[in-house]
Amino acid sequence: MAALGEAAARWAPGLWRRAARAAAAFGGCRFASGSQNPPTFGLLLDIDGVLVRGHQVIPAAREAFRRLVDSQGQLRVPVVFVTNAGNILQCSKAQELSALLGFQARVSAPTPWKLGSEGDRGIDGLVLCLSQPLPRNEFPAIEGVLLLGEPVRWETSLQLIMDVLLSDGNPGTGLATAPYPHLPVLASNTDLLWMAEAKMPRFGHGTFLLCLEAIYRKVTGRELCYAGLMGKPSLLTYQYAEGLLARQAARRGWAAPIRSLYAVGDNPMSDIYGANLFHQHLQTRREGAARSCASILVCTGVYGPRAPGPAAPSPGGEGPPFHGHRDLGFSPGLLQAAHVVSDVHEAVRLVLGREGWAL
């Protein structure tokens, strides 16, 4: 699954903000008025495998939004779309979702994000930014590599990244010895698999990273190091999404804080693992309004009753294969969803029922 953005060489500060935003979320629309009490809960919805498969809407998604949207086309509860995908600009994805689901989606404002701590090697100049399509121009000296999503031509992109890393950002010159530590590398998506129109899951950006890591290790004898990993299941993604929900509530003028979050996804390793990890975080932190994040797994995407191989832990059985990134700590219990439902419509019914809202 690609992370949001276009391939380009841009000034680094803007790209870090774009990566944090792309790997995180974008928000809903205006909110409905009426006699219903202001909601104290919010929805974090994945897109691919939950609402759409490729460019085709999942029918249950339309049913779900008939419950979430009032007669004026306004959302009844705060909703944030949380996706690792980035093969399309946010504004274009918002327009697509608006047409498919019958309400006006809006793009979130960017969020600043600072890489590393004081004293770390910073990125002040140009970075190599790879997604779709691949740029074909000559590059000046490059200060880092930002990986937004798997490109169309993997072999060309893998070669270009290796050229940049082995030349310390000057692929036109070359070096006798590969520098180590190498230039900073930031990845905004670690999904091994994702779901499109095809019956079988597709290779995601995590698979592309796996190839890059193997090539770098084979060529240099060293491990590729990341300056940062973002996107689900990272806490940064969910912290940003929580902030978007709070801003939606503030725009509406609701005094009651958003206490309960419900994260709906189709991928146990990114959606469910990340939601459960964030729930653990909420149990220990002292600041912030949210108190819980319940994970809800749907069967319309990567996970399904007939999915190849174990995608979620089976009670008393062997654990599933680890589909996460090598640098992520792995706790098998975090793959267990709080709820498993057939589709997003059933997920919305579950949430509204638990919160005592009219179905």
Side-chain angles (χ1 to χ4, degrees):
M1 190 185 300
L4 194 62
E6 291 180 316
R10 295 283 191 264
W11 289 104
L15 280 172
W16 299 137
R17 289 193 295 270
R18 183 193 301 176
R21 177 182 59 194
F26 59 98
C29 66
R30 299 181 302 274
F31 298 96
S33 59
S35 59
Q36 179 73 53
N37 291 330
T40 59
F41 65 98
L43 290 170
L44 307 178
L45 300 181
D46 184 33
I47 296 178
D48 292 290
V50 174
L51 304 178
V52 301
R53 294 276 294 268
H55 295 288
Q56 300 297 317
V57 67
I58 296 173
R62 288 200 180 102
E63 295 298 321
F65 273 85
R66 288 192 181 101
R67 297 187 182 276
L68 292 175
V69 176
D70 70 0
S71 58
Q72 285 76 45
Q74 299 175 325
L75 288 173
R76 301 169 60 205
V77 302
V79 175
V80 168
F81 300 102
V82 185
T83 178
N84 283 349
N87 58 338
I88 185 174
L89 291 175
Q90 280 184 313
C91 57
S92 299
K93 177 56 83 173
Q95 292 173 356
E96 181 181 1
L97 289 176
S98 298
L100 291 174
L101 301 177
F103 78 104
Q104 184 57 52
R106 61 178 294 167
V107 177
S108 64
T111 179
W113 189 73
K114 182 177 181 181
L115 177 64
S117 58
E118 187 174 354
D120 290 346
R121 182 177 183 180
I123 303 179
D124 299 321
L126 296 177
V127 301
L128 175 66
C129 175
L130 290 185
S131 180
Q132 302 178 21
L134 184 68
R136 298 179 180 273
N137 57 303
E138 296 294 330
F139 291 107
I142 295 168
E143 294 293 327
V145 177
L146 174 59
L147 303 176
L148 294 176
E150 72 276 9
V152 174
R153 295 183 57 187
W154 286 29
E155 72 284 0
T156 304
S157 297
L158 289 168
Q159 180 70 70
L160 180 56
I161 296 170
M162 288 297 296
D163 288 347
V164 169
L165 295 179
L166 297 180
S167 66
D168 202 33
N170 295 277
T173 59
L175 295 175
T177 303
Y180 200 84
H182 54 69
L183 292 175
V185 177
L186 178 71
S188 66
N189 177 358
T190 61
D191 287 349
L192 186 74
L193 302 171
W194 71 291
M195 210 68 188
E197 291 96 340
K199 299 296 183 182
M200 301 287 288
R202 303 293 89 189
F203 291 150
H205 194 222
T207 307
F208 178 80
L209 297 180
L210 195 64
C211 295
L212 176 62
E213 293 156 11
I215 293 171
Y216 188 86
R217 182 171 57 250
K218 191 71 172 179
V219 171
T220 67
R222 298 175 181 270
E223 292 295 330
L224 181 74
C225 297
Y226 293 91
L229 294 172
M230 297 190 295
K232 296 177 293 186
S234 75
L235 285 177
L236 174 66
T237 298
Y238 293 88
Q239 290 167 338
Y240 179 48
E242 179 193 8
L244 290 181
L245 289 174
R247 289 206 291 272
Q248 290 183 21
R251 285 196 303 268
R252 176 61 179 87
W254 292 328
I258 303 300
R259 297 289 188 186
S260 302
L261 309 182
Y262 295 89
V264 183
D266 69 301
N267 190 326
M269 188 58 239
S270 60
D271 301 315
I272 303 307
Y273 196 96
N276 289 338
L277 186 65
F278 188 52
H279 178 75
Q280 282 190 350
H281 171 72
L282 293 177
Q283 304 308 295
T284 59
R285 77 174 187 182
R286 297 181 179 179
E287 72 285 349
R291 294 291 179 263
S292 66
C293 182
S295 57
I296 304 178
L297 181 63
V298 299
C299 302
T300 51
V302 171
Y303 175 80
R306 300 178 181 177
S314 55
E318 294 184 359
F322 179 46
H323 284 182
H325 191 269
R326 56 154 209 219
D327 292 351
L328 298 175
F330 182 51
S331 298
L334 294 181
L335 289 174
Q336 186 65 57
H339 307 277
V340 179
V341 297
S342 59
D343 52 45
V344 68
H345 182 214
E346 186 176 340
V348 168
R349 287 174 53 87
L350 171 70
V351 171
L352 296 181
R354 285 173 60 88
E355 293 294 329
W357 277 48
L359 298 177

